[in-house]
């Protein structure tokens, strides 16, 4: 059985005071206490304080990005060992905003995936097509290419300790959610690509859906057989909404 996972990607929102308040509210509603594993990913500068407050709590901490290098002269970067040091357990890699706005290519994303695992952390690998790619029927090709790059560097064994998030770019922050059927189709493709290499690893791999998930549409998405939870953007910034999404996972 795959334990469902819900992760909140706060992106570049909020202040220290707001981050502290949100963490406090999530602790108060016991967001991590249900059937789902629950992760929050605040901006880098708020991770250390969040890590201290969440010590011993069921709510887990993640980061939104990481440097592919382990140490050295990389001004402005943050290493996976630093993230582990402040209490992170998960790290998002290859988010479409990193790919589109900061020029991250498949090879760099694969290196980040490996760097995260080298520190014993769990990468949440984001894949997904743009609207133009979907409209010309290239969804499978794009998602397969993104997976292949990571398979080539980490091997299928890497997916034994990783999470994949399918985030169609056209659904992120647009209010236009993929239908449960659209999500299921691509999730099944993702699991199938991994199953070609190792059926056991594929069967235990958690594949999250991300893109305009809200409390009102989470349950129907999570009800699909290959949807193992969600990666939540805007709706993760409100504790009650996020809590209701976490409660929407299959029991
Ligand atoms: P929204 O939930 O705001 O659409 O963002 C999704 C996302 O990009 C999560 O990583």
């Amino acid at each position: 059985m795959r334990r469902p996972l819900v992760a909140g990607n706060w992106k570049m929102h909020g202040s220290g005071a707001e981050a502290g308040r949100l963490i406090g509210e999530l602790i108060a509603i016991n967001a991590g206490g249900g059937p789902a594993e629950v992760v929050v990913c605040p901006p880098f500068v708020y991770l250390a304080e969040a890590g201290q407050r969440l010590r011993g709590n069921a709510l887990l901490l993640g980061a939104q990005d990481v440097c592919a290098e382990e140490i050295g002269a990389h001004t402005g970067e943050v290493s996976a060992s630093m993230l582990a040091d402040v209490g992170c357990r998960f790290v998002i890699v290859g988010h479409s905003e990193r790919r589109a706005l900061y020029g991250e290519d498949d090879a760099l994303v694969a290196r980040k995936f490996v760097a995260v695992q080298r520190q014993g952390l769990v990468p949440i690998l984001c894949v997904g097509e743009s609207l133009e790619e979907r409209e010309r029927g290239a969804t499978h090709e794009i998602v397969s290419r993104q997976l292949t790059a990571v398979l080539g560097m980490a091997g299928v064994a890497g997916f034994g300790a990783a999470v994949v998030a399918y985030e169609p770019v056209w659904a992120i922050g647009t209010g236009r959610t993929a239908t449960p059927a659209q999500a299921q189709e691509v999730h099944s493709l993702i699991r199938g690509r991994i199953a070609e290499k190792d059926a056991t690893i594929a069967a235990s791999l958690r594949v999250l859906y991300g893109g305009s998930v809200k409390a009102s549409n989470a349950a129907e998405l999570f009800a699909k057989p290959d949807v193992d939870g969600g990666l939540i953007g805007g709706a993760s910034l409100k504790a009650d909404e996020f809590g209701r999404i976490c409660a929407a996972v299959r029991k």
Side-chain angles (χ1 to χ4, degrees), residues 65-85:
D65 187 27
V66 66
C67 183
E69 305 298 333
E70 282 183 26
I71 193 168
H74 297 281
T75 301
E77 293 289 293
V78 175
S79 72
S81 67
M82 293 170 185
L83 296 177
D85 198 24

Side-chain angles (χ1 to χ4, degrees), residues 95-97 99-100 127-134 142 146 166-174 176 209-212:
H95 192 281
S96 63
E97 288 151 16
R99 294 178 190 261
V127 298
E129 82 289 1
S130 67
L131 183 59
E132 181 271 321
E133 288 160 346
R134 172 161 283 263
I142 297 298
Q146 291 169 335
Y166 170 54
E167 296 209 314
V169 177
W170 47 270
I172 295 176
T174 59
R176 185 178 162 194
Y209 169 77
S212 297

Side-chain angles (χ1 to χ4, degrees), residues 156-247:
V156 71
F159 285 81
V163 173
V164 175
Y166 170 54
E167 296 209 314
V169 177
W170 47 270
I172 295 176
T174 59
R176 185 178 162 194
T177 317
T179 64
Q182 284 173 323
Q184 169 59 28
E185 189 209 336
V186 181
H187 283 228
S188 149
L189 165 90
I190 291 167
R191 200 177 306 287
R193 288 285 288 114
I194 304 303
E196 287 166 16
K197 309 275 183 201
D198 189 312
T200 308
I201 288 176
S204 65
L205 175 69
R206 291 181 292 184
V207 184
L208 313 183
Y209 169 77
S212 297
V213 178
K214 304 181 276 272
S216 58
N217 61 22
E220 59 178 11
L221 286 158
F222 297 167
K224 288 294 177 189
D226 286 301
V227 179
D228 304 307
L231 181 54
I232 320 299
S236 72
L237 295 170
K238 295 186 204 106
D240 62 329
E241 177 91 5
F242 187 62
R244 279 189 285 138
I245 293 170
C246 297

Side-chain angles (χ1 to χ4, degrees), residues 112-127:
K112 290 187 174 193
F113 183 102
V114 171
V116 167
Q117 290 194 324
R118 214 177 279 134
Q119 297 302 325
L121 306 181
V122 178
I124 301 176
L125 169 68
C126 298
V127 298

